[in-house]
Amino acid sequence: MSVCEEQKKNSTSLISLKRINRIIESNNNSFMQVAIPKFDGHYDHWAMLMENFLRSKEYWDLIENGMSMEVTQKTEQGSISMAGATEAQHKLSEDQIEAQRKLIEGQKLKDPRVKNYLFHAIDQNVMETILNRDTSKGI
């Protein structure tokens, strides 16, 4: 084999390796969207898949605990009593209230997303039998 032929072979091999590397990188960087588990009548299996799906999206806490409605009502009504509190306690409580408000706002944004997943996962006929569709926990 001549030097020229060997250089062509090496250059072809190098090009092939570069193509393979690009394919591998594009596959690693591509976004793979997981399908929403469909309820097919086998609740236990679907519930396991749905829990895993919602945990992966960091939404499971809304299903498990629901939204903090009691705290929402208290903070909106301003019924948290601060009588007799020192300034440091007052500041701490204000910080706690602000943190709770942020948590509630986050839940208010997440809950419609979770409901959307559930609406897509559950067949219309089954959905009509669910009485409480106000929150994801209700569903």
Side-chain angles (χ1 to χ4, degrees):
M1 186 183 297
S2 72
V3 174
C4 188
E5 289 174 346
E6 193 169 322
Q7 286 177 343
K8 284 182 184 180
K9 182 180 174 185
N10 288 341
S11 119
T12 305
S13 296
L14 186 59
I15 291 171
S16 297
L17 285 174
K18 286 181 180 179
R19 284 184 188 159
I20 291 170
N21 284 335
R22 271 186 271 160
I23 291 169
I24 290 170
E25 286 176 15
S26 68
N27 286 339
N28 288 340
N29 294 331
S30 67
F31 178 77
M32 188 174 132
Q33 187 171 358
V34 179
I36 301 169
K38 298 287 184 191
F39 179 62
D40 60 358
H42 301 282
Y43 178 79
D44 291 335
H45 183 255
W46 174 79
M48 180 183 64
L49 293 173
M50 201 65 189
E51 178 181 346
N52 187 53
F53 176 78
L54 292 173
R55 282 187 188 277
S56 73
K57 303 278 187 189
E58 298 180 2
Y59 293 149
W60 183 248
D61 61 316
L62 286 172
I63 299 294
E64 209 166 46
N65 304 318
M67 290 181 48
S68 305
M69 294 308 249
E70 182 180 319
V71 176
T72 305
Q73 292 169 353
K74 286 182 181 178
T75 55
E76 286 175 357
Q77 295 170 356
S79 64
I80 296 175
S81 174
M82 299 301 289
T86 66
E87 188 174 323
Q89 290 171 330
H90 185 73
K91 179 67 175 159
L92 180 62
S93 295
E94 285 178 5
D95 290 344
Q96 289 172 338
I97 291 169
E98 185 59 31
Q100 191 66 41
R101 282 189 184 133
K102 287 181 181 179
L103 173 70
I104 292 165
E105 288 303 314
Q107 288 177 341
K108 284 181 182 179
L109 293 173
K110 287 181 178 180
D111 195 62
R113 293 178 188 154
V114 177
K115 283 172 53 176
N116 187 44
Y117 287 134
L118 292 170
F119 289 151
H120 282 88
I122 301 171
D123 185 64
Q124 180 182 355
N125 295 329
V126 176
M127 188 58 75
E128 289 175 358
T129 65
I130 298 172
L131 300 176
N132 181 2
R133 292 179 235 149
D134 297 335
T135 65
S136 54
K137 182 173 177 67
I139 296 171

